[in-house]
Amino acid sequence: MAAVMEPQPSQQSETPQVEEDFPLKFCTVCASNQNRSMEAHLVLSLAKYPVISFGTGSAVRLPGPSIDKPNIYSFNSTTYDEMFQELKAKDQRLYTANGLLNMLDRNRHIKACPERWQDWKVGVPRLEANGAVGGGVGDGVKEGVVDVVITCEERCWDAVLDDLTNRNSPLNKLVHVINVDIKDNHEEAIVGGRGIRDLADMLTAAAKEERGKAAAEGRGFERGSVDARVPEVLSKWQEKWPQLPALWSVAYF
Amino acid sequence: MAAFQATSDAQLQQLGEARNLVLKDPGYWPQVLQGTLPLITSGAIEVRRWGADFLAETFSTPVVDARAKQELALACLDTLLRLSNETETGILKSVVQCSASVYPIVFRHICSNRNDADTWNKMVAIKSKILSLWDVAPIGVRICCIKFVQRVILVQSRGVTDPRLVDRSETSLATVPANHPLLSLPSLDAEAQGLLDRLLSILHEEHSEPTLITATLNNLAPLVKTRPPLAQRIIGAVLAFNPFARMPGTISVQDRLVMISVEKTVRVMLLNIMRNNQQTPFAGRISQHIQRLAQAKAELNDSFSRKRSATSQQDADSKRQKVDRISTTPRATPPPPAPLIDPLQGMQPGPVTFAKLFTLATDPALTSFDGQQLPLDLVLQIVIGSIYNVDQAKLDAAIAMVKARYEAVMANPPARAPGALPLAPSAPQPQTAEAGPPEPPNGMALVKAEAGGEGDEDVVQLQLGEYKLPPPVSLTTQQAQLASLNAMERMFSVIDDFEKTSLISRKSKLGVRRLAASSWDREGWISVLVRTATRGAQDAGVKSESGQAESLPDILRERLYQYIIADFRQRMDIAVAWLNEEWYNDKTRSSSGTPRQPQYQKWMMKVMDAIIPFLEVRDRLFMRTLSELPEIPVELLHKVKLLCLDPDRSSLGIQMLQYLAMFRPPVREQCVDVLEDLWRNRK
C-alpha cells in the first residue's frame, strides 16, 4: 500500500485562521452519503479542512437482513441518529456484525442527515449548526460553495457533471470535479479516506505555492491559482495511490 | 507601515463581520455592498482581494433576488472596470466570474433603457478587457473567461424560435427591441459567432491545456440545448475532437489521466445532450461517436505499448469524421424531400437495364459515371459509410420507389432482347440495400452508378423462383489439410507485416487475467498459431492412420520451427511462447491421462540445436530465452557446455550457466556440476 501521509506539522500548529490556511474548500460525494463520502468527510474535517458531503443516489440504501431486503431511507430527512436507533432496535447483533451501527454512530457525530447532491442549493449559506450528535466536527462551509468536489465512484462523478450541466451554472463559479474510485466497503473506505486526505494536502500545498508566486514569473500576473496545476498534482497523487483510479474535469456551479 | 497594516487588518476584520452578517441575513446585502464599494478600490491589496471575492459572491449567490442584483450591477460597473486592471490571479478570477453574472443583467437593462450609453460603454470596456485577458492571463483566469464568453454567446445569439417555448426570463437577442440605438443585432450576432469559433478552436489547437478543454466542453451542452441555431456547429466540433489524438510517444500517468478524463467529459456531455433531446438530428452520429470513444479508450487501457498504431487509427478515424462531416452536414438540415420524383421518371419503354431500374439520381453526370473504375475496397468504404449515414426515411422511400418501378416493369414485360442474359436470381438483394436517397451525395451516387455498370448487359427477366444454394461439396481429408495449411501460411505472412515492438514494452500490463489473442496484432496472431499447433489441431484423429505422412500439428510445429530459426534473434519471443505452450500442453494432457508423446522436449531440443551453433558472444538476449524456458533438461546444459568449449563464445556459455545456477534453483545442482566438470577437466 502506498505511504500514508502524516499530517503536516505546519498545518496543525498554526492558529485556526481558516480562510488563510485553507485556500480550498472540499465536498465529498458518494452514492448514499454514508460510507465513503462520510469517511472522507470525517478525515478531512479532522484535518480542519472546510468540507461538506453528499450522495447522488435516489435514496439512502443500507444492507438489510438479505440482499433483496435493503433498508431504504430518504435523503435530507431521516437523520443518521434515527437510522442508528432503528437498526439497533431491529437486530443489534446483525448490524453490529456487518459494521452498519458502527458507521452510523460515526456519521451521527459528523452531521445530522445524509444529503442528496441533486437537492443541494449551491451558494445558499450554511450557517446553522450541523445538527450532529454532540456538536459534530469541523466548521463545514458557511458560504455554501466549494472549490473541489471529490466523488468516490465513477457513476457519481458522471452524475455530478451531468447535474452541474443541467443546473446551467447560475453561479458562474468554477469547480474542479475529481473522482477517486473507492470500493464500497469499510476497509476500502478507510484507505480511500486517507487517499483523499493526501490529495487535499497536495492540492492545498500547490495552491499555497502558487499563491506565493511573485510577479517575476512572466507577463505581470501575480499570485497564481491552483487551477492549472490540478492535472499535474492529481497525476502525482495517482502515482502514489495507484489503487484509487482518478478522473477529473473543470465544471461550473 | 505597521500602522497601515494594522488599519487594513482591522478593516478586513470589519469586512469579514459584514460578510457574516449578510450571509446570515441576505436582506442587508445590497446595503453592505453599496457601503463597501468605495473601500474596495481604494483600499490596500488585501481589501481589494476581499472586495473582488465579495463582488463575485454577490452576483453568484441565489439568496439575493434578481431585482436587487440589477440595481447593484449598474452601481458596481466602475469598480469592476477598475479591478479588471489588477494583476493578481485571484482578483481577476473573481472579476471575470462577476462579469459573467453581470453581463446578462446589464444587457437586459440596456434593452429597456435605450439611451443609457454610459452604462453600456462601461460594460463593453469590461468585455473587451476580459477578452484580451483570455489570451494572456494565467489558466485560472482563462477558465473564468471561458465561462464569461459562454454567457456572452448565450446573450448575443438567438434562442428557441417557437414562441411557446421561449423562456421570458432568459436574455437573448430576442430581448433586443427593434431599432435600438446602442445594440445592433447583426454586429452582436456576428460577435457571438466569432466568440463561438474562438471557443471551439480550443478543442482543436495543437497544445491546449486539458484544464481549458474540459472547461470548454462543460460549457457547450447548455449552448446546444438552448441555442438550436448553434447546435450543429458545436456538435460538429465536438465530434471532430479526438481526446486521444495527441498521444505522445510514451504515455505518462498524467497523459493517461488527462486523456481518460477528457474522454469521459466528452461522453458525459454528449449523453446529456442526447438525453434532453432524443429527437436531435445528431443522435445517430453521437451514439456512434460514443461507441468509437469507448473503443479507443479500451485500446488505451488494453496496452500502452500499442499506442502508435492506436494513434494512427485514431487519426484515420478523426480524418474520416471530418470527411463525414463535410459530406453529411449539408444534408442534416434540409427538410426531408417529401415529394419524391415520379417512380417511373426516366424509365423509357423497352428493355430495362439494372442501371435504369436502380438509378434514382437525376444528374446525368452521375448516371454516366462508371463505378467499375473505382477500386473495390474504396467502393466498400463508401457503401459502408453511406449506409451508416443514410436517413432511414430516405432509404425507405428509395426502396419503395425501386419496388414500384420493378412492379411496373413486371406488369409490362418488355420484349426480350436477343441474347439478353436472364436475371441472376440473387442479384437484386444487395443492390436494393444500396439504393439511396433521391439526391445522393457523391458516395451514394458512385455506388449506384457502379451497380449500373455491372448490370449494363443484364436485361431484366421475369420469373424469380425461390432459389436455394446447393450444399457445398464435402472436402476430403487432403483438401481440408491443404486448406488449413494455406490458412496457416497466411497467418505467418500477416505476422511480419506488424511493426516489431520491443520485447519489454510489448508485455501486456493486464497480467494473467487478460484474454490471449484478444487484439489482432502481432502478439495475437502468434498466440493463435502457437495454440493451434499445441492444443488447437487435435492429433488424435491422425494418430490412428500413422502411416500417413504427418499430422497437421506436426506440420505446423515444423513450420513454426522453420519460421523461428530463419531469424531467431528477432523471433526469440515466439520460440518462448511456443515452447511454454508445448510444455503446458504436455502437462495438462499427461495429467488427463491420454497416452501421448510429449512434444516439449523434442521441439525444444530441435530449436536449440538449430540456434546454438549460430550464437555469438553478443547474443546476451539468449540468456533470457533460456531462463524463460519452462523446463531445462540436462541435455540442454550439455549443449551449453559445448558452447563453453568454444574459446570465442565461452564467456556467453559460462554466463548462462552462472545465471541459471544463481536464479534457477531446480537446475542449480546440474549447472554447478557442469561448471565443475569444465573447471576440473578442461581448463
Side-chain angles (χ1 to χ4, degrees):
Chain A
M1 182 173 300
V4 178
M5 281 242 313
E6 287 307 312
Q8 304 283 312
S10 62
Q11 281 172 13
Q12 288 199 330
S13 59
E14 279 172 31
T15 47
Q17 261 193 335
V18 177
E19 307 279 335
E20 198 46 46
D21 276 344
F22 296 97
L24 298 174
K25 301 180 204 61
F26 293 90
C27 165
T28 59
V29 178
C30 69
S32 286
N33 195 201
Q34 287 280 4
N35 182 25
R36 295 164 291 180
S37 61
M38 286 306 276
E39 173 66 27
H41 186 145
L42 177 69
V43 171
L44 288 182
S45 56
L46 284 178
K48 301 273 186 289
Y49 283 104
V51 58
I52 49 182
S53 60
F54 295 93
T56 55
S58 52
V60 179
R61 288 186 175 77
L62 296 177
S66 70
I67 193 134
D68 55 334
K69 288 179 203 145
N71 290 296
I72 300 180
Y73 302 98
S74 58
F75 273 111
N76 306 332
S77 54
T78 318
T79 63
Y80 291 117
D81 191 41
E82 284 162 6
M83 296 177 205
F84 178 79
Q85 305 298 354
E86 187 184 313
L87 294 189
K88 195 173 176 183
K90 262 191 191 168
D91 189 342
Q92 182 164 6
R93 219 170 54 102
L94 169 69
Y95 294 114
T96 310
N98 68 8
L100 273 193
L101 287 182
N102 201 5
M103 179 183 83
L104 287 167
D105 188 38
R106 172 197 69 194
N107 293 351
R108 68 188 179 138
H109 287 97
I110 298 174
K111 64 177 188 177
C113 46
E115 294 170 86
R116 185 158 186 257
W117 167 273
Q118 287 85 343
D119 300 331
W120 176 24
K121 294 190 177 62
V122 185
V124 172
R126 300 164 63 97
L127 298 167
E128 312 82 48
N130 56 26
V133 175
V137 254
D139 289 339
V141 175
K142 64 178 174 182
E143 48 279 89
V145 186
V146 299
D147 303 294
V148 181
V149 172
I150 300 179
T151 60
C152 302
E153 192 180 329
E154 195 163 324
R155 210 156 45 93
C156 303
W157 188 82
D158 294 358
V160 165
L161 269 199
D162 196 52
D163 180 63
L164 288 176
T165 305
N166 289 339
R167 286 178 191 234
N168 215 350
S169 53
L171 275 69
N172 297 313
K173 165 145 177 48
L174 84 95
V175 56
H176 293 272
V177 186
I178 296 175
N179 182 54
V180 170
D181 231 39
I182 305 169
K183 285 196 196 71
D184 198 359
N185 60 49
H186 300 301
E187 297 75 23
E188 293 291 327
I190 290 170
V191 176
R194 283 190 213 132
I196 289 176
R197 161 78 199 279
D198 191 23
L199 179 58
D201 287 343
M202 288 169 75
L203 286 172
T204 303
K208 285 181 182 168
E209 198 182 308
E210 285 295 318
R211 183 181 275 190
K213 272 191 186 159
E217 290 191 35
R219 293 189 302 204
F221 292 99
E222 290 171 66
R223 283 168 66 97
S225 68
V226 74
D227 305 299
R229 290 192 46 196
V230 172
E232 170 215 320
V233 171
L234 188 60
S235 55
K236 276 200 189 123
W237 176 87
Q238 183 75 87
E239 279 172 40
K240 278 169 78 179
W241 299 84
Q243 76 278 40
L244 304 172
L247 273 178
W248 150 89
S249 195
V250 178
Y252 300 82
F253 277 124
Chain B
M1 185 65 198
F4 180 72
Q5 190 67 42
T7 55
S8 81
D9 273 354
Q11 220 170 22
L12 273 184
Q13 200 174 352
Q14 277 174 0
L15 291 172
E17 276 162 21
R19 178 161 173 267
N20 285 340
L21 172 72
V22 298
L23 287 178
K24 208 172 291 170
D25 188 349
Y28 292 112
W29 209 307
Q31 224 174 313
V32 170
L33 183 73
Q34 298 274 18
T36 49
L37 272 182
L39 286 175
I40 291 175
T41 38
S42 59
I45 180 71
E46 289 84 2
V47 179
R48 303 207 299 276
R49 272 176 211 152
W50 182 91
D53 291 347
F54 188 61
L55 268 177
E57 191 173 19
T58 305
F59 291 98
S60 285
T61 184
V63 295
V64 176
D65 65 44
R67 189 180 297 272
K69 279 185 186 173
Q70 176 149 2
E71 281 170 27
L72 292 174
L74 301 180
C76 72
L77 285 182
D78 284 315
T79 319
L80 267 184
L81 189 54
R82 215 168 304 162
L83 285 175
S84 70
N85 291 314
E86 296 278 352
T87 54
E88 281 196 9
T89 308
I91 295 183
L92 289 176
K93 272 175 72 176
S94 291
V95 167
V96 179
Q97 181 196 330
C98 182
S99 306
S101 308
V102 162
Y103 192 79
I105 302 177
V106 172
F107 191 87
R108 225 182 158 78
H109 166 83
I110 298 297
C111 286
S112 44
N113 297 274
R114 307 169 64 97
N115 298 316
D116 197 352
D118 193 31
T119 305
W120 182 237
N121 289 340
K122 282 180 213 160
M123 194 68 242
V124 169
I126 295 172
K127 176 162 74 176
S128 59
K129 177 69 195 172
I130 291 174
L131 293 183
S132 67
L133 282 175
W134 193 14
D135 282 328
V136 295
I139 300 289
V141 181
R142 277 149 82 180
I143 307 174
C144 298
C145 290
I146 288 175
K147 185 78 224 174
F148 175 78
V149 166
Q150 187 229 25
R151 288 285 165 208
V152 173
I153 296 174
L154 276 172
V155 167
Q156 294 181 191
S157 56
R158 301 206 171 270
V160 219
T161 39
D162 188 336
R164 290 164 300 176
L165 298 177
V166 171
D167 178 4
R168 292 275 159 223
S169 66
E170 196 202 49
T171 312
S172 75
L173 273 194
T175 325
V176 181
N179 299 324
H180 196 287
L182 300 171
L183 304 176
S184 136
L185 285 178
S187 61
L188 290 173
D189 192 26
E191 187 189 33
Q193 302 281 343
L195 288 175
L196 179 62
D197 281 340
R198 223 172 122 188
L199 188 65
L200 295 178
S201 73
I202 292 176
L203 298 182
H204 299 293
E205 271 164 21
E206 272 294 306
H207 299 289
S208 282
E209 284 286 331
T211 324
L212 300 182
I213 292 178
T214 55
T216 305
L217 287 169
N218 284 323
N219 265 317
L220 294 179
L223 285 174
V224 170
K225 286 190 279 184
T226 61
R227 297 291 178 266
L230 305 179
Q232 184 171 328
R233 211 148 52 128
I234 296 171
I235 291 179
V238 174
L239 294 189
F241 167 65
N242 174 10
F244 304 101
R246 286 169 297 124
M247 196 135 18
T250 50
I251 302 184
S252 66
V253 174
Q254 180 166 351
D255 296 327
R256 185 170 177 280
L257 179 71
V258 163
M259 278 190 276
I260 58 173
S261 298
V262 172
E263 186 269 344
K264 204 72 214 297
T265 309
V266 173
R267 182 198 302 249
V268 171
M269 178 230 161
L270 289 176
L271 288 175
N272 182 289
I273 294 173
M274 291 253 277
R275 188 161 353 97
N276 282 277
N277 186 3
Q278 303 283 355
Q279 304 307 317
T280 172
F282 319 102
R285 286 168 61 209
I286 290 178
S287 50
Q288 213 181 323
H289 188 70
I290 290 174
Q291 278 174 10
R292 203 176 294 155
L293 285 178
Q295 222 169 11
K297 189 164 130 186
E299 274 176 29
L300 175 78
N301 287 342
D302 187 38
S303 138
F304 284 128
S305 67
R306 286 186 303 112
K307 61 195 168 286
R308 261 178 243 101
S309 60
T311 323
S312 56
Q313 179 60 38
Q314 280 293 313
D315 279 349
D317 271 356
S318 65
K319 263 177 217 146
R320 201 176 65 226
Q321 265 169 41
K322 273 177 199 151
V323 174
D324 278 354
R325 190 152 55 95
I326 292 161
S327 63
T328 55
T329 34
R331 64 194 167 99
T333 29
L340 285 163
I341 38 173
D342 173 18
L344 297 180
Q345 184 190 337
M347 299 284 285
Q348 290 91 359
V352 180
T353 62
F354 262 132
K356 279 185 192 161
L357 182 60
F358 284 102
T359 302
L360 300 175
T362 47
D363 186 346
L366 286 179
T367 48
S368 60
F369 180 82
D370 181 7
Q372 279 172 316
Q373 293 167 357
L374 298 171
L376 188 60
D377 51 346
L378 179 66
V379 173
L380 280 177
Q381 250 179 5
I382 295 172
V383 173
I384 292 168
S386 316
I387 293 284
Y388 263 118
N389 287 314
V390 72
D391 179 356
Q392 185 62 40
K394 285 182 182 173
L395 181 63
D396 290 343
I399 292 173
M401 206 155 72
V402 172
K403 214 167 153 188
R405 283 182 178 183
Y406 184 69
E407 275 158 10
V409 170
M410 286 302 163
N412 318 313
R416 190 170 171 180
L421 297 165
L423 181 56
S426 63
Q429 217 47 39
Q431 287 174 2
T432 314
E434 282 159 19
E439 291 99 4
N442 40 15
M444 299 301 293
L446 297 184
V447 171
K448 275 204 301 288
E450 197 230 21
E454 282 172 3
D456 264 346
E457 59 269 56
D458 296 353
V459 175
V460 172
Q461 241 292 355
L462 306 181
Q463 303 304 326
L464 291 178
E466 197 187 355
Y467 180 77
K468 276 190 187 134
L469 275 174
V473 197
S474 53
L475 296 171
T476 63
T477 324
Q478 276 84 6
Q479 281 172 319
Q481 187 149 359
L482 199 65
S484 313
L485 293 180
N486 276 338
M488 209 172 76
E489 281 308 321
R490 282 188 60 196
M491 287 195 233
F492 274 108
S493 68
V494 162
I495 295 177
D496 286 331
D497 293 344
F498 285 105
E499 187 190 0
K500 289 207 172 54
T501 42
S502 85
L503 208 64
I504 295 132
S505 68
R506 188 169 49 242
K507 288 291 164 238
S508 168
K509 300 269 191 295
L510 296 173
V512 280
R513 293 183 60 198
R514 115 202 123 89
L515 207 59
S518 52
S519 52
W520 297 112
D521 56 359
R522 180 171 181 268
E523 204 177 0
W525 284 111
I526 291 171
S527 309
V528 170
L529 274 171
V530 161
R531 294 210 176 164
T532 316
T534 55
R535 296 183 237 177
Q538 293 300 326
D539 38 12
V542 191
K543 208 164 41 188
S544 55
E545 27 188 337
S546 51
Q548 206 189 342
E550 263 183 297
S551 68
L552 184 61
D554 277 343
I555 299 176
L556 191 42
R557 286 184 178 115
E558 181 64 30
R559 183 68 183 79
L560 264 172
Y561 162 74
Q562 295 292 351
Y563 181 76
I564 290 165
I565 60 169
D567 183 5
F568 69 88
R569 290 194 176 84
Q570 298 297 320
R571 295 168 185 170
M572 217 74 112
D573 56 327
I574 305 183
V576 168
W578 171 36
L579 293 174
N580 274 294
E581 287 285 350
E582 287 289 7
W583 179 83
Y584 173 74
N585 197 37
D586 281 352
K587 289 286 159 197
T588 48
R589 291 291 191 85
S590 70
S591 66
S592 71
T594 25
R596 178 176 173 279
Q597 176 136 38
Q599 299 287 331
Y600 167 70
Q601 184 137 349
K602 175 178 156 197
W603 290 99
M604 191 273 290
M605 289 309 285
K606 203 168 168 183
V607 170
M608 292 301 154
D609 275 341
I611 292 180
I612 289 181
F614 296 102
L615 283 179
E616 290 171 31
V617 184
R618 60 185 170 86
D619 284 324
R620 292 172 56 88
L621 204 60
F622 185 71
M623 293 200 307
R624 175 168 168 180
T625 310
L626 204 61
S627 65
E628 284 179 351
L629 289 179
E631 195 180 319
I632 300 180
V634 189
E635 293 84 22
L636 181 57
L637 292 179
H638 284 292
K639 300 257 177 239
V640 177
K641 186 170 147 191
L642 293 179
L643 203 58
C644 300
L645 297 178
D646 181 343
D648 194 31
R649 302 182 291 168
S650 61
S651 63
L652 179 69
I654 302 275
Q655 266 180 336
M656 278 182 199
L657 289 173
Q658 190 185 352
Y659 271 93
L660 287 177
M662 283 167 72
F663 300 116
R664 195 80 183 236
V667 291
R668 176 173 293 156
E669 288 302 315
Q670 290 96 313
C671 287
V672 173
D673 285 349
V674 173
L675 284 169
E676 188 185 353
D677 174 54
L678 280 170
W679 184 67
R680 281 188 195 286
N681 304 329
R682 320 278 165 152
K683 280 185 191 168

